[in-house]
Amino acid sequence: MSGEKKSTVRAAERALDILLCFVDKTQLGMMEIAERTGLNKSTVFRLLATLESKGFVKRNQYTEKYELGFRIWELAAHLNQSDDPAVLFLPEMERLRDELDETVSLYIRDGKERIRIQAVESNQAIRRVAPIGARMPLTVGASSKVLMAFADSKLVQEVLAGSRWPDHISKVNYLQQLKTIREDGYAMSVEEREAGTAAVAVPIFSRRGRLVAALAVSGPVSRMNMDKMIQFVPDMLEAASKMGKMMKD
């Protein structure tokens, strides 16, 4: 590859890195973007100017910070959503939320992390949930354990051997948990990822048996004890079955 082509690819990668900074924040200052990407200020300034000229970012006139521009939404409007779980499953998630009166979330695995791709928040006054788009490790949490329990053994071994594995979690006990989850069809967690919260999750499989996502119900531990979460499981499994049948494959 020529030097000019390498430079072009690098510039494209850096521009994409800047856009990815907005996954978990709606507005960012130039210095924040530089810190997140590891790029120097002058490079960030030039790339932001280019992205702004193309409509991918815009600068808020009041805060002087950058946010995603209209071109992002134009592209998103043309996504093929006919088999997108976040779109397909939303009505059933809303029905489940109304039935159980707790927050319902949808997680998929991306590499060695899980991503919250959809959520329907509880109408309860007290609730605490991660934002849509939030990335979390596969080591803790009910949804993580569901995604791991039905993953291939190679991935499980890679996660177990990874540098992000928490020292306080026994790998032997964790593998036993995954076995139990496969047998029972659901996972529970109490204050594993965040203090004061509990969650129960079930897998969603396509018609052909492919693991599509993890369906989770979460809330404060004051409302969601073990008995309550077990009571949720039949309704969750029924909802997961309906969702799986919506998938083409």
Side-chain angles (χ1 to χ4, degrees), residues 5-27:
K5 286 184 178 179
K6 285 181 179 178
S7 178
T8 302
V9 170
R10 264 199 309 274
E13 288 178 342
R14 290 170 174 175
L16 291 171
D17 284 341
I18 287 175
L19 291 177
L20 289 171
C21 289
F22 293 92
V23 165
D24 59 353
K25 288 198 72 173
T26 55
Q27 290 192 352

Short mmCIF file of all heavy atoms in Angstrom, two decimals, residues 5-27:
data_model
loop_
_atom_site.label_atom_id
_atom_site.label_comp_id
_atom_site.label_asym_id
_atom_site.label_seq_id
_atom_site.Cartn_x
_atom_site.Cartn_y
_atom_site.Cartn_z
N LYS A 5 -2.11 6.16 0.33
CA LYS A 5 -3.26 5.34 0.69
C LYS A 5 -3.28 5.06 2.18
O LYS A 5 -4.32 5.07 2.82
CB LYS A 5 -3.23 4.03 -0.09
CG LYS A 5 -3.62 4.18 -1.56
CD LYS A 5 -3.67 2.84 -2.26
CE LYS A 5 -4.10 2.98 -3.71
NZ LYS A 5 -4.12 1.69 -4.41
N LYS A 6 -2.07 4.80 2.75
CA LYS A 6 -2.00 4.55 4.19
C LYS A 6 -2.48 5.77 4.97
O LYS A 6 -3.19 5.66 5.96
CB LYS A 6 -0.57 4.21 4.59
CG LYS A 6 -0.13 2.81 4.20
CD LYS A 6 1.29 2.55 4.67
CE LYS A 6 1.74 1.13 4.31
NZ LYS A 6 3.13 0.87 4.73
N SER A 7 -2.07 6.96 4.50
CA SER A 7 -2.46 8.19 5.16
C SER A 7 -3.97 8.40 5.10
O SER A 7 -4.60 8.82 6.07
CB SER A 7 -1.74 9.38 4.51
OG SER A 7 -2.15 10.59 5.09
N THR A 8 -4.54 8.06 3.94
CA THR A 8 -5.99 8.20 3.77
C THR A 8 -6.75 7.25 4.70
O THR A 8 -7.74 7.62 5.33
CB THR A 8 -6.39 7.89 2.31
OG1 THR A 8 -5.69 8.79 1.46
CG2 THR A 8 -7.88 8.07 2.10
N VAL A 9 -6.27 6.00 4.79
CA VAL A 9 -6.90 5.02 5.68
C VAL A 9 -6.79 5.47 7.13
O VAL A 9 -7.75 5.35 7.89
CB VAL A 9 -6.26 3.63 5.49
CG1 VAL A 9 -6.75 2.67 6.56
CG2 VAL A 9 -6.59 3.07 4.11
N ARG A 10 -5.63 5.98 7.52
CA ARG A 10 -5.44 6.46 8.89
C ARG A 10 -6.41 7.58 9.21
O ARG A 10 -6.99 7.63 10.29
CB ARG A 10 -3.99 6.93 9.11
CG ARG A 10 -3.08 5.88 9.72
CD ARG A 10 -1.85 6.51 10.34
NE ARG A 10 -1.15 7.40 9.43
CZ ARG A 10 -0.24 7.01 8.54
NH1 ARG A 10 0.07 5.73 8.46
NH2 ARG A 10 0.36 7.87 7.76
N ALA A 11 -6.56 8.51 8.26
CA ALA A 11 -7.47 9.64 8.48
C ALA A 11 -8.90 9.16 8.63
O ALA A 11 -9.65 9.65 9.49
CB ALA A 11 -7.36 10.62 7.31
N ALA A 12 -9.28 8.15 7.83
CA ALA A 12 -10.64 7.60 7.92
C ALA A 12 -10.84 6.92 9.27
O ALA A 12 -11.89 7.08 9.91
CB ALA A 12 -10.89 6.62 6.79
N GLU A 13 -9.85 6.15 9.71
CA GLU A 13 -9.94 5.47 11.01
C GLU A 13 -10.08 6.48 12.14
O GLU A 13 -10.87 6.28 13.07
CB GLU A 13 -8.71 4.60 11.22
CG GLU A 13 -8.68 3.35 10.36
CD GLU A 13 -7.42 2.53 10.58
OE1 GLU A 13 -6.44 3.09 11.13
OE2 GLU A 13 -7.42 1.34 10.21
N ARG A 14 -9.30 7.55 12.06
CA ARG A 14 -9.35 8.57 13.12
C ARG A 14 -10.69 9.29 13.13
O ARG A 14 -11.24 9.58 14.20
CB ARG A 14 -8.20 9.56 12.93
CG ARG A 14 -6.83 8.95 13.24
CD ARG A 14 -5.71 9.88 12.82
NE ARG A 14 -4.41 9.37 13.26
CZ ARG A 14 -3.25 9.92 12.93
NH1 ARG A 14 -3.22 11.01 12.16
NH2 ARG A 14 -2.13 9.40 13.37
N ALA A 15 -11.22 9.56 11.95
CA ALA A 15 -12.54 10.22 11.87
C ALA A 15 -13.62 9.32 12.46
O ALA A 15 -14.51 9.78 13.19
CB ALA A 15 -12.85 10.56 10.42
N LEU A 16 -13.53 8.02 12.16
CA LEU A 16 -14.50 7.07 12.73
C LEU A 16 -14.35 6.97 14.24
O LEU A 16 -15.34 6.84 14.97
CB LEU A 16 -14.34 5.70 12.07
CG LEU A 16 -14.76 5.62 10.60
CD1 LEU A 16 -14.36 4.29 10.00
CD2 LEU A 16 -16.27 5.83 10.46
N ASP A 17 -13.11 7.01 14.71
CA ASP A 17 -12.87 6.98 16.17
C ASP A 17 -13.54 8.18 16.84
O ASP A 17 -14.07 8.06 17.95
CB ASP A 17 -11.36 7.00 16.46
CG ASP A 17 -10.71 5.65 16.20
OD1 ASP A 17 -11.43 4.64 16.15
OD2 ASP A 17 -9.48 5.61 16.04
N ILE A 18 -13.51 9.33 16.17
CA ILE A 18 -14.15 10.52 16.72
C ILE A 18 -15.66 10.32 16.79
O ILE A 18 -16.30 10.62 17.81
CB ILE A 18 -13.80 11.76 15.87
CG1 ILE A 18 -12.35 12.16 16.12
CG2 ILE A 18 -14.74 12.93 16.20
CD1 ILE A 18 -11.86 13.30 15.25
N LEU A 19 -16.25 9.78 15.73
CA LEU A 19 -17.70 9.54 15.74
C LEU A 19 -18.09 8.56 16.83
O LEU A 19 -19.13 8.71 17.47
CB LEU A 19 -18.15 9.03 14.37
CG LEU A 19 -18.08 10.04 13.22
CD1 LEU A 19 -18.49 9.37 11.92
CD2 LEU A 19 -18.98 11.25 13.49
N LEU A 20 -17.24 7.54 17.05
CA LEU A 20 -17.54 6.54 18.07
C LEU A 20 -17.48 7.10 19.48
O LEU A 20 -17.99 6.48 20.42
CB LEU A 20 -16.58 5.35 17.93
CG LEU A 20 -16.81 4.46 16.70
CD1 LEU A 20 -15.68 3.45 16.55
CD2 LEU A 20 -18.15 3.74 16.81
N CYS A 21 -16.87 8.26 19.66
CA CYS A 21 -16.85 8.90 20.97
C CYS A 21 -18.25 9.27 21.44
O CYS A 21 -18.49 9.43 22.65
CB CYS A 21 -15.99 10.16 20.93
SG CYS A 21 -14.21 9.87 20.80
N PHE A 22 -19.18 9.40 20.48
CA PHE A 22 -20.53 9.84 20.82
C PHE A 22 -21.46 8.68 21.14
O PHE A 22 -22.67 8.87 21.27
CB PHE A 22 -21.11 10.67 19.67
CG PHE A 22 -20.40 11.98 19.46
CD1 PHE A 22 -19.33 12.06 18.57
CD2 PHE A 22 -20.77 13.11 20.17
CE1 PHE A 22 -18.67 13.26 18.38
CE2 PHE A 22 -20.10 14.32 19.98
CZ PHE A 22 -19.04 14.40 19.09
N VAL A 23 -20.91 7.47 21.30
CA VAL A 23 -21.74 6.31 21.62
C VAL A 23 -22.42 6.48 22.97
O VAL A 23 -23.58 6.13 23.15
CB VAL A 23 -20.90 5.01 21.61
CG1 VAL A 23 -21.63 3.88 22.29
CG2 VAL A 23 -20.56 4.62 20.18
N ASP A 24 -21.71 7.06 23.94
CA ASP A 24 -22.28 7.17 25.29
C ASP A 24 -22.45 8.61 25.79
O ASP A 24 -22.81 8.83 26.93
CB ASP A 24 -21.43 6.38 26.30
CG ASP A 24 -19.98 6.88 26.35
OD1 ASP A 24 -19.62 7.72 25.53
OD2 ASP A 24 -19.24 6.39 27.21
N LYS A 25 -22.19 9.60 24.90
CA LYS A 25 -22.41 11.00 25.29
C LYS A 25 -22.96 11.76 24.11
O LYS A 25 -22.55 11.55 22.97
CB LYS A 25 -21.11 11.65 25.78
CG LYS A 25 -20.63 11.18 27.13
CD LYS A 25 -19.64 12.14 27.76
CE LYS A 25 -20.26 13.43 28.23
NZ LYS A 25 -19.32 14.28 28.97
N THR A 26 -23.90 12.66 24.36
CA THR A 26 -24.51 13.41 23.26
C THR A 26 -23.68 14.61 22.86
O THR A 26 -23.74 15.04 21.71
CB THR A 26 -25.92 13.88 23.65
OG1 THR A 26 -25.85 14.64 24.85
CG2 THR A 26 -26.84 12.68 23.86
N GLN A 27 -22.92 15.17 23.80
CA GLN A 27 -22.09 16.34 23.50
C GLN A 27 -20.69 16.14 24.07
O GLN A 27 -20.52 15.64 25.18
CB GLN A 27 -22.71 17.62 24.09
CG GLN A 27 -23.98 18.08 23.40
CD GLN A 27 -24.36 19.49 23.85
OE1 GLN A 27 -23.78 20.06 24.77
NE2 GLN A 27 -25.37 20.05 23.19
#
